[in-house]
Amino acid sequence: MEFELIARHFTRAAPGAVLGVGDDCALLAPSPGMQLAVSSDMLLEGRHFSPQDSPAGLGHKSLAVNLSDLAAMGATPRWATLAIALPAADDAWLTAFARGFFRMANQHGIELVGGDTTRGALTISITVIGEVPPSQALLREGARAGDDVWVSGVIGSAALALAYRQGRLFMEQIDAAKVLPALYLPTPRIELGIALRGVASSAIDISDGLLADLGHILERSNVGAKLEFATLPTLPVAQAYLHEPVARDCMLAGGDDYELCFTAPVSRRDAVAAAAQSAGVAVTRIGRITAEPGLAVVDANGQALHFDRTGYDHFDE
Ligand code: ADP
Ligand code: MG
């Protein structure tokens, strides 16, 4: 049963591998001179997704969140392995999951070369392997005082969708429909990460929230930052809800965006714009790196907003 399941759902041609699914190990030959970038992310039912979620969406998202780590490193995706625990071998579920997974894989030229399949509470653990030229990976530690802080795309949408789904934020249905795709079908910013090699001084993907993830860059780089709340890019629909503290929390501390937050010297603004254009994604300057440690967020009047990394703020006071 297990082998049939693997053969049917998870075995695809992998021309970029020496040997793919089917033996004790996959065999991979890295491109000459390239370094390998390797990352794993695990998704648990109840914690990262709910039993009602669409299996195709889950296939998409579980690979997308892993690809996002390669994007944040500036790596080119090559191979993936998939370890999956399933309560039952539900053929329709597996077919839909594989459809979502391989659509995302094909979009980004990543090949499934192995994995493990076992019975158990639904758990999806993926390892991705990418390639990056030596010393060109985008690390968290390169931010310098005076650098601009940038984000790609828009932020807060996935968190707004989650707050809506959990009944913590009322949204008109027509508005909710505009943010829900961000939660269920995130886009890893692979092309942007690659285009930022040699341009960005540091980068991270926003999985836990802007403040928390930018906080990792600041810590590793031994610097601080000052952000302007009004410059944070949102979907137009989000603006109508920002008077709600919950919605503002979504902007600063909402996870699951999978946008890139990165820094670059002011002298590289044109290069950042060119990278964004070549990748076909908008980027927005949201603040500056400071020599003094700490993360400040100011409003349009330069007034400091109070918050912690879980996003609680005091806009109303
Ligand atoms: P072993 O017992 O040697 O670990 P398995 O029986 O677990 O081998 O797996 C057989 C083959 O199928 C291996 O090549 C393995 O990498 C692959 N495989 C198992 N599960 C998956 C999966 N969910 N997705 C892709 N490949 C898988
Ligand atoms: Mg095994």
Side-chain angles (χ1 to χ4, degrees):
M1 188 280 285
E2 182 193 328
F3 298 107
E4 203 184 300
L5 183 162
I6 295 164
R8 171 141 34 153
H9 295 292
F10 296 124
T11 306
R12 298 285 193 282
V18 179
L19 188 65
V21 170
D23 214 307
D24 297 311
C25 290
L27 294 175
L28 309 174
S31 307
M34 295 290 258
Q35 292 180 342
L36 296 180
V38 183
S39 175
S40 298
D41 251 315
M42 193 149 84
L43 285 87
L44 307 181
E45 185 174 283
R47 189 177 168 88
H48 301 99
F49 59 91
S50 93
Q52 299 97 293
D53 290 355
S54 108
L58 201 51
H60 171 114
K61 184 167 177 173
S62 57
L63 184 55
V65 305
N66 276 276
L67 286 168
S68 179
D69 283 315
L70 292 181
M73 215 63 188
T76 305
R78 292 296 311 273
W79 307 287
T81 62
L82 165 66
I84 186 164
L86 298 158
D90 177 340
D91 214 58
W93 191 96
L94 280 161
T95 300
F97 177 87
R99 188 176 355 108
F101 182 96
F102 285 111
R103 189 182 296 151
M104 173 91 319
N106 293 339
Q107 242 172 56
H108 294 286
I110 196 160
E111 297 176 343
L112 184 64
V113 295
D116 202 12
T117 306
T118 179
R119 200 177 285 272
L122 186 54
T123 305
I124 299 158
S125 176
I126 292 176
T127 296
V128 286
I129 304 171
E131 293 183 329
V132 63
S135 72
Q136 286 195 39
L138 308 177
L139 308 184
R140 296 179 179 183
E141 66 188 29
R144 298 290 173 264
D147 283 358
D148 292 316
V149 180
W150 298 81
V151 291
S152 65
V154 294
I155 59 171
S157 308
L160 285 172
L162 187 65
Y164 167 78
R165 280 295 309 271
Q166 295 178 336
R168 288 183 286 115
L169 176 69
F170 170 80
M171 291 183 88
E172 299 292 344
Q173 213 161 28
I174 189 173
D175 292 343
K178 292 177 184 150
V179 293
L180 283 164
L183 180 60
Y184 293 111
L185 299 171
T187 305
R189 298 301 186 190
I190 291 291
E191 296 82 1
L192 180 62
I194 293 169
L196 286 173
R197 287 177 190 163
V199 176
S201 51
S202 71
I204 193 166
D205 66 320
I206 305 178
S207 54
D208 296 333
L210 175 64
L211 297 183
D213 290 318
L214 176 57
H216 294 312
I217 286 183
L218 303 183
E219 235 156 76
R220 286 297 201 83
S221 302
N222 254 310
V223 290
K226 189 167 170 186
L227 305 184
E228 277 181 58
F229 187 83
T231 64
L232 301 183
T234 67
L235 282 181
V237 62
Q239 294 294 330
Y241 296 90
L242 286 184
H243 61 279
E244 301 263 12
V246 177
R248 293 194 297 261
D249 282 359
C250 289
M251 302 295 303
L252 293 171
D256 265 5
D257 281 320
Y258 302 104
E259 293 296 347
L260 297 185
C261 176
F262 59 97
T263 61
V266 173
S267 63
R268 304 310 306 277
R269 280 181 188 173
D270 289 347
V272 171
Q277 180 151 32
S278 77
V281 53
V283 293
T284 306
R285 254 190 299 128
I286 60 167
R288 280 292 189 97
I289 296 294
T290 58
E292 347 39 277
L295 180 46
V297 184
V298 299
D299 67 14
N301 307 318
Q303 202 80 24
L305 305 174
H306 300 280
F307 58 85
D308 63 28
R309 280 190 190 179
T310 62
Y312 178 75
D313 64 68
H314 304 269
F315 281 72
D316 288 337
E317 291 172 15

